[in-house]
Amino acid sequence: MLSVSFLVLASMSGAFARTPQGFEPAVENSLVVSFGSVAAMDGNVLAKASTQTAPTIGTQSKLDGTSFAVVMVDLDIPTNSPPQTNTLLHWLQTNLTQSTSATAVNTTAGSMDVFTLQTSQQAAFADYIGPSPPARTPLSHRYTQLLIDTSSATTQDLSVLQSAAATRMGFNANTVLTQAGLVDKVIAANFFNVTNPGPVEAATNSSTGSGSGSSRGTGSVTSPTQSSTPLPGAAASQKASELLVAIGLVGAAFFAL
Ligand SMILES: *[C@@H]1O[C@H](CO)[C@@H](O)[C@H](O)[C@H]1NC(C)=O
Ligand SMILES: *[C@@H]1O[C@H](CO)[C@@H](O)[C@H](O)[C@H]1NC(C)=O
Ligand SMILES: *[C@@H]1O[C@H](CO)[C@@H](O)[C@H](O)[C@H]1NC(C)=O
Ligand SMILES: *[C@@H]1O[C@H](CO)[C@@H](O)[C@H](O)[C@H]1NC(C)=O
């Protein structure tokens, strides 16, 4: 009997990119990204509520490296000059290690045996922020994840990543990874969409963020403790919003995710 993981693997052996069309660097190997029981793959659309804590990531075959980093970028940040868009770094965690044995991950795509990547105690260069596309054009955002083999990265290479991660808005993965000498070390990738149900609202130039409530979309599940923060999620988003405030992008923060 063919297992689901074999079928998934077989379907992934074609030489097409796991990254969105036009994205650089284009990556062919698949990164498994799972939010609990929900698989994020092939640009499928996930409910915002299921994406608010960092996913389990892994690969279906064991990798050779000893140390990895994950990057997640939103490629579809609305701007005040549509259809122009910007990018936002949602996650940059280094010093991941891979489990030596595969574990079954239940997803909407079936059960997969995955060698998961585990977070070390090392703080993220950029904490995970859950997707939260606003009611602006484009309503649907592509969230791209890249897995980088940092086994032979130098302290200096990693510090390039760390400095770049300090500015989430406009994060260009290709440029940053090239500067860090790691663009050839991107070994697996994935992307999924999260879509605001709309309708599109007029842009506001207000620096007080009066549109923050509506920009968070409707129908999402938000716990009472989170409702007073402009960004969804818990501590990580709080930090992110503080960071954005600190660098004077508070206005952008309300519609950027
Ligand atoms: C990565 O984590 C290990 C422990 O898990 C630690 O010994 C090592 O110093 C960390 N590497 C970096 C670059 O911080
Ligand atoms: C995975 O799914 C199977 C069948 O649907 C179920 O029996 C099992 O308990 C699930 N495992 C986990 C860890 O959720
Ligand atoms: C994902 O988002 C992109 C960018 O907005 C859009 O072009 C694409 O149609 C979306 N995909 C799905 C399946 O909604
Ligand atoms: C926002 O500001 C830009 C330039 O400052 C202006 O061109 C645009 O019309 C403004 N949009 C709104 C909705 O006020």
Side-chain angles (χ1 to χ4, degrees):
M1 192 183 91
L2 293 178
S3 68
V4 170
S5 59
F6 174 81
L7 292 173
V8 170
L9 199 60
S11 74
M12 288 171 176
S13 59
F16 64 95
R18 313 313 307 184
T19 37
Q21 196 174 13
F23 181 86
E24 294 289 339
V27 181
E28 283 174 18
N29 293 325
S30 177
L31 180 68
V32 175
V33 175
S34 170
F35 291 94
S37 58
V38 180
M41 58 203 308
D42 302 328
N44 65 346
V45 180
L46 301 191
K48 171 184 160 182
S50 65
T51 60
Q52 298 305 300
T53 54
T56 299
I57 61 171
T59 55
Q60 291 187 299
S61 29
K62 181 83 175 72
L63 301 167
D64 290 335
T66 53
S67 165
F68 304 90
V70 64
V71 169
M72 174 166 135
V73 182
D74 181 348
L75 306 179
D76 299 294
I77 300 294
T79 67
N80 284 336
S81 321
Q84 256 176 52
T85 53
N86 202 350
T87 59
L88 186 84
L89 177 66
H90 272 251
W91 195 21
L92 203 172
Q93 173 75 57
T94 55
N95 210 14
L96 300 171
T97 53
Q98 191 167 40
S99 63
T100 50
S101 57
T103 47
V105 174
N106 270 352
T107 72
T108 41
S111 174
M112 287 187 242
D113 289 331
V114 174
F115 294 89
T116 59
L117 290 149
Q118 288 134 358
T119 311
S120 64
Q121 293 307 305
Q122 187 178 342
F125 288 169
D127 285 312
Y128 182 84
I129 308 175
S132 185
R136 295 187 63 198
T137 304
L139 288 168
S140 200
H141 291 209
R142 294 162 299 165
Y143 298 87
T144 300
Q145 300 84 47
L146 304 174
L147 184 70
I148 301 132
D149 184 347
T150 51
S151 308
S152 52
T154 63
T155 313
Q156 201 176 351
D157 296 340
L158 294 175
S159 75
V160 171
L161 291 188
Q162 185 164 23
S163 312
T167 308
R168 291 183 185 248
M169 193 65 71
F171 189 90
N172 183 321
N174 201 34
T175 302
V176 170
L177 292 170
T178 300
Q179 283 167 355
L182 293 168
V183 78
D184 294 333
K185 302 285 185 182
V186 184
I187 50 176
N190 179 68
F191 78 103
F192 62 88
N193 278 30
V194 176
T195 303
N196 185 295
V200 171
E201 290 166 5
T204 167
N205 284 354
S206 167
S207 61
T208 59
S210 59
S212 64
S214 53
S215 76
R216 301 176 60 192
T218 55
S220 62
V221 179
T222 308
S223 77
T225 54
Q226 294 172 353
S227 61
S228 61
T229 56
L231 297 171
S237 338
Q238 187 57 44
K239 272 186 213 159
S241 80
E242 283 162 12
L243 173 70
L244 288 163
V245 169
I247 59 178
L249 284 170
V250 64
F254 290 111
F255 57 76
L257 306 176

